[in-house]
């Protein structure tokens, strides 16, 4: 299978300088190109007026190939939530979602085309894995969001409660690896993408590491590796059940790494990074929403650096499951909170455009 073309976002700054000199240009041209991409969000040679006209085309063709083409855009929440369907060089299709809040903008990115984890309640899991995305293909989703915001194409920020909030809402402030794919199954490219997203300009986009969240089904060895990277990113663990019996069904990889091992890896991550781990839990009617499971979850998490993010199940095609009823959800929240564990219910965005958690999938003709 052929690989996506090389892009400057695949490379660290030193490697970019080398690549530029190999093209016969001075090394500092790499920094100029990088600023165009990471600070002005452009890959159009015509706009790079600080580069000699003769060099622009060649540099751009070699280091800024167009990786993703927008196939379709859907929006809801009055334009505050926008889903883009992208086509990659080989026809692979992926989706990203831009979510604007009064004080921040969150970009939800895909790390793989499809997903191999086969969680039965998640639409992405149903078609299997197509391929890993390259580092630059992941970064390109965020740069596209930043470009849309900078050009005013993603709504206005007048609703911001303060000037500081307005500044945060004018750029992509947060990135969550919660789109298609299992980020830790594409470890190398995802960690490189995190570095590109968080390195200061011109190395990268300059987003705060603390504002990046990597969500995983619980690939235990990779959680350990991530803890050792020296990054301050937030880890989210898609737990969905506190017991192996239910989790074996909901998150099939649990047959390999059990709840106890996943949580041990999460606590290790919290100890090494000092970051609170987010425990994701989709509430599914009569499947994992019983009071005893809330109690068990609370007791497993009590005393640890963790908070629970409950997600009302989003509908997916062909699934027999539905979201828990509101009183059951409230009872579940109380059952966890009784153990002194912080718990929130996710304000789910994008359900109307199949852009919410677990709904990202590319169906022909939809
Ligand atoms: N593979 C990673 C990244 C995807 S994150 C992971 O699983 O963590 C997407 C989040 O949405 C995960 O927590 C996932 O379990 C959850 N999710 C999947 N399908 C869902 C659905 N139908 N309703 C609500 N949440 C869902």
């Amino acid at each position: 299978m052929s690989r996506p073309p090389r892009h400057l976002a695949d490379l660290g700054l030193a490697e970019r300088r080398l690549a530029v000199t190999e093209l016969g240009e001075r090394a500092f041209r790499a920094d100029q190109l990088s600023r165009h991409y990471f600070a002005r969000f452009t890959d159009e040679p015509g706009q790079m007026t600080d580069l000699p006209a003769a060099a622009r085309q060649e540099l751009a063709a070699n280091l800024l190939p167009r990786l993703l083409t927008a196939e379709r855009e859907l929006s809801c929440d009055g334009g505050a939530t926008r889903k883009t369907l992208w086509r990659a060089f080989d026809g692979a299709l992926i989706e990203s979602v831009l979510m604007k809040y009064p004080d921040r903008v969150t970009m939800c990115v895909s790390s793989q085309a499809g997903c191999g984890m086969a969680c039965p309640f998640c639409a992405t899991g149903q078609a299997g894995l197509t391929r890993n995305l390259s580092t630059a293909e992941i970064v390109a989703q965020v740069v596209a969001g930043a470009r849309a915001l900078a050009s005013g194409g993603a709504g206005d920020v007048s609703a911001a409660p303060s000037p500081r909030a307005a500044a945060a809402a004018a750029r992509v402030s947060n990135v969550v690896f919660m789109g298609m794919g299992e980020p830790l199954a594409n470890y190398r490219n995802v960690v490189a993408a995190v570095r590109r997203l968080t390195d200061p300009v011109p190395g990268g986009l300059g987003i705060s590491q603390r504002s990046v969240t990597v969500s995983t089904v619980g690939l235990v060895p990779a959680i350990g590796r991530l803890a050792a990277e020296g990054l301050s990113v937030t880890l989210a663990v898609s737990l969905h059940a506190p017991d192996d019996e239910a989790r074996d069904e909901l998150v099939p990889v649990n047959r390999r790494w059990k709840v106890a091992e996943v949580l041990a890896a999460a606590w290790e991550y919290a100890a090494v990074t000092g970051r609170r781990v987010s425990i994701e839990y989709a509430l599914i009617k009569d499947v994992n929403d019983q009071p005893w499971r809330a109690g068990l979850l609370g007791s497993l998490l009590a005393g640890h650096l963790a908070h629970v993010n409950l997600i009302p199940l989003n509908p997916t095609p062909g699934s027999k499951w539905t979201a828990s009823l509101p009183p059951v959800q409230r009872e579940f929240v109380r059952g966890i909170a009784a153990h002194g564990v912080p718990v929130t219910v996710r304000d789910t965005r994008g359900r109307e455009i199949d852009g919410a958690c677990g709904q990202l999938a590319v169906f022909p003709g939809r």
Side-chain angles (χ1 to χ4, degrees), residues 115 117 121-123 177-179 181-183 215-217 236 238 240 280 282 311-316 346 357-359:
C115 185
M117 298 297 128
F121 57 95
C122 176
F177 284 82
M178 295 189 180
E182 166 51 41
S215 183
T216 178
V217 289
S238 295
H240 305 311
E280 312 292 298
I311 318 168
L313 187 80
N314 292 307
T316 57
R346 182 176 292 179
C357 309
Q359 295 185 311

Side-chain angles (χ1 to χ4, degrees), residues 31-32 48 52 67 76 83 86 88 101 116 124 152 155 178 181 204 207 220 228 251 255 277 294 313 335-336 363:
D31 296 50
Q32 290 178 305
M48 303 180 185
L67 298 171
C76 62
K83 180 172 90 162
W86 301 102
Y101 300 88
T124 311
M178 295 189 180
I207 294 169
V220 166
V251 185
R255 294 170 202 159
V277 174
L313 187 80
I336 295 168
F363 298 102

Side-chain angles (χ1 to χ4, degrees), residues 56 128 175 197 214 252 265-266 292 328 351 365:
R56 278 181 220 164
V175 176
L197 297 175
V214 174
W292 73 265
V328 173
R351 214 176 273 160

